[in-house]
Amino acid sequence: MRKKLDVQGILTEARSDIECIVMAARQLPPDEGGPIAAMADAVGKKIEKALRQLGAEVAASHGAEEA
């Protein structure tokens, strides 16, 4: 369980870094920053999905430990 929480922390930090990249890319002219922002946003969505799945696994394993 501890390992899953460590991974969750790393993914949360990565998501925060990606959000910074998106904000910085939006400061660039659209032809330069647009593709960067779009790619970073796509990566952020994948990280969000991984965090949801990991959260579900942590919740399921926590429930199993209580049983």
Side-chain angles (χ1 to χ4, degrees):
M1 171 97 118
R2 175 88 174 121
K3 188 178 240 183
K4 287 181 182 178
L5 294 177
D6 290 344
V7 170
Q8 196 169 16
I10 292 167
L11 287 172
T12 299
E13 191 173 315
R15 180 187 59 189
S16 179
D17 293 345
I18 291 294
E19 289 172 1
C20 290
I21 293 169
V22 170
M23 288 189 301
R26 289 185 177 148
Q27 299 300 314
L28 297 171
D31 59 324
E32 294 175 16
I36 297 168
M39 182 58 76
D41 189 49
V43 170
K45 288 178 181 174
K46 289 179 182 180
I47 292 172
E48 285 291 328
K49 181 179 177 183
L51 282 168
R52 284 192 304 273
Q53 289 176 338
L54 188 59
E57 288 180 20
V58 168
S61 67
H62 183 67
E65 288 175 4
E66 290 180 357

